[in-house]
Amino acid sequence: MHKKLFIPGPTEVRPEMLKHMGTPMIGHRSKEFSQLLGEVTPKVQKLLYTKDHVFMSTSSSTGVMEGVVRNLVEKKVLACYCGAFSERWAEIAEANGKETDRLEVEWGRAILPEMVDEKLKKGGHETVIIVHNETSTGVMNPIREVAQMMKEKYPDVLLAVDAVSSMAGVKIDVDGWGLDVCLAGLQKAFALPPGLAVFSVSDRALEKAKKVPHRGYYFDFLVFRKYWDKVQTPTTPSIPHLFALNKQMDDMFREGLEQRFARHGQMAKVARDWGKKHFALYAQPGYESVTLTTYVNTREISVAGLNEELAKRGAVISNGYGKTKEKAFRIAHMGDTTLDELNELLGWIDEILGLS
Ligand code: PLP
């Protein structure tokens, strides 16, 4: 039996979308392909409220995260992190030989504008890299406020955001907030299989890239930009993903973006209320993620045991990530998951654990 995915990625994919992935293949240098890419790209721009270029990368999000440090940092970057995924971005920056100033906050805490300000005051940073939704801890950072502070005080410093587990689940106003890069993979709130990442790049970020040597090739933003004019991708892309994304975007607009974001908000509230009643929330109050909830395992339940029982009902949740493996567990409520499905899941957990 298939187990419905309530893990924070990959998320559940509707059978229609899997069918679209199986659309008969076309050549990536054909007119049909340019038509497809030319259709889907403005839809993602609309989702991100941006006029910036939006590129498609046939890679997981980590590839684009690497691209950010190779394109937007010549010498020094400020890497802000609050959990496992954002810490990896700091490691990526170091692995690429960039001077990496680290801003670390305790797991479960959020990164606040004044913390970023304190670091940027010292000067010399070209770019800030930061995660919007830290999938390990279930914390959503106040990116809009960080961006606002930077616009006022450090207008020349670029801001790149990992929105891997928030994009398409919550509103991200790329132009309004002033994000230079905003990136995500399709396997989270887009509710599509893993394998393609999308990312917006501002004009000033493209200008910056021109001055940075050794950008590599596969993730060189200027190569993506060059192929933009031909309405193509630099290399052979995952065409199946683009077929499905094109349809999925139509479905998102049919639901309505505001409605989609509101649905995510409603699910988050239910997931949090349930957690406060039976466990505790891992995230700092006020900064809880809208797309997943991380629970402190206050009852010391066996998450593996719970999952065994859930499997019989056709569902799976996630344990904690990294150092919180046994101490926490996570439930994703994003993508095409409905409030009814979430309520059903929580009902099963109540039944299995004998909660009332
Ligand atoms: N950033 C965040 C916030 C994530 O949740 C993940 C994966 O779960 C990544 C980055 C890395 O994504 P990928 O493994 O698809 O490269």
Side-chain angles (χ1 to χ4, degrees), residues 60-62 65 85 88 131 133 135 162 164-165 187-188:
S60 80
S61 302
T62 306
M65 290 160 78
F85 293 103
R88 194 178 299 160
V131 68
N133 192 59
T135 318
D162 163 352
V164 171
S165 55
Q187 79 277 21
K188 311 266 186 193

Side-chain angles (χ1 to χ4, degrees), residues 106-110 136-140 265 267-299 324 327-331 333 342 346:
E106 207 185 309
W107 280 44
R109 312 292 296 178
S136 55
T137 60
V139 165
M140 195 165 262
M267 291 194 292
K269 183 174 184 322
V270 166
R272 287 175 205 154
D273 287 348
W274 178 86
K276 285 181 204 158
K277 188 167 165 208
H278 299 301
F279 291 91
L281 305 187
Y282 195 88
Q284 179 179 348
Y287 298 96
E288 301 93 344
S289 164
V290 177
T291 53
L292 77 129
T293 302
T294 301
Y295 302 94
V296 184
N297 187 3
T298 48
R299 294 170 179 260
T324 67
K327 297 188 194 116
F329 64 98
R330 295 173 296 159
I331 296 178
H333 30 82
L342 177 66
L346 298 176

Side-chain angles (χ1 to χ4, degrees), residues 231-252:
V231 201
Q232 288 183 358
T233 51
T235 58
T236 320
S238 175
I239 299 169
H241 277 95
L242 291 168
F243 281 131
L245 179 60
N246 199 26
K247 300 289 185 192
Q248 181 67 321
M249 294 310 304
D250 289 343
D251 286 355
M252 275 189 215

Side-chain angles (χ1 to χ4, degrees), residues 168-169 189 259-268 290-291 333-335:
Q259 284 81 350
R260 185 178 180 83
F261 302 146
R263 173 168 58 81
H264 280 79
Q266 286 157 4
M267 291 194 292
V290 177
T291 53
H333 30 82
M334 64 172 111

